[in-house]
Amino acid sequence: MRRVYPYPVIPRALIADIICMLKNEIRILIVDDDVVFGATIREALGREGYNAIHVTKPEDAMAQLKVHMVNLAIIDCMLPRMNGRDLAMKMEEESEGIQRILMSGIFRDKNFVRESLAKTGAKSFLTKPFDITELIRQVNEA
């Protein structure tokens, strides 16, 4: 006996296209003064279908918030003129509800990580170098 579904069956390829279109509507701001590392993250997220922007300075990140609706910020903790934790909190004040992921190659201490997450309300903290698939998993969950 043939099953009858109450809704039309949507082909998997169409579902994949729809998900990709939805991802393209999500704007991700990467704030890292390491140009190569930031560009690598931007390219990886772009391949996943996300709309990612990379800036190297905290003031450029704040300017982006004034111009664009940003859904998620990936922020390095060691930035020029302002640390990433302070930037994450300032971003929350400026753009309430923005999701944030912190990252650092210098600060690896578990207490620093715990304090940073509690102080900023960030979703997660990644220690550099990290596997790009882990970052993508975190972004998909955000």
Side-chain angles (χ1 to χ4, degrees):
M1 177 181 230
R2 188 171 179 202
R3 279 191 205 192
V4 177
Y5 294 97
Y7 305 104
V9 177
I10 301 171
R12 287 185 189 265
L14 181 58
I15 292 171
D17 287 346
I18 292 169
I19 290 171
C20 188
M21 287 183 338
L22 292 174
K23 281 184 175 181
N24 194 37
E25 295 297 316
I26 298 172
R27 187 177 302 265
I28 300 172
L29 179 61
I30 303 149
V31 189
D32 193 337
D33 59 333
D34 182 333
V35 176
V36 174
F37 196 78
T40 302
I41 293 173
R42 183 181 47 75
E43 289 174 21
L45 292 172
R47 282 194 304 273
E48 288 293 311
Y50 290 106
N51 183 356
I53 304 164
H54 172 232
V55 298
T56 58
K57 295 181 257 179
E59 54 269 20
D60 293 343
M62 294 308 295
Q64 285 292 324
L65 288 184
K66 290 182 172 126
V67 176
H68 300 288
M69 164 66 176
V70 175
N71 305 96
L72 172 68
I74 301 169
I75 309 164
D76 187 28
C77 285
M78 193 71 160
L79 295 168
R81 293 181 287 285
M82 178 188 292
N83 71 58
R85 293 185 341 173
D86 290 344
L87 177 61
M89 291 185 300
K90 192 170 181 181
M91 287 176 132
E92 173 64 24
E93 291 171 8
E94 190 73 29
S95 183
E96 190 175 324
I98 186 172
Q99 294 288 317
R100 286 141 306 143
I101 296 174
L102 298 175
M103 61 182 173
S104 179
I106 296 173
F107 302 110
R108 298 169 177 267
D109 178 61
K110 291 193 184 301
N111 287 330
F112 179 85
V113 171
R114 211 173 9 260
E115 284 175 21
S116 296
L117 292 172
K119 184 177 178 181
T120 64
K123 179 189 176 313
S124 61
F125 191 108
L126 295 170
T127 303
K128 294 179 185 177
F130 50 80
D131 186 350
I132 201 73
T133 56
E134 175 59 19
L135 174 65
I136 290 168
R137 186 185 69 73
Q138 296 272 343
V139 167
N140 287 336
E141 290 177 3

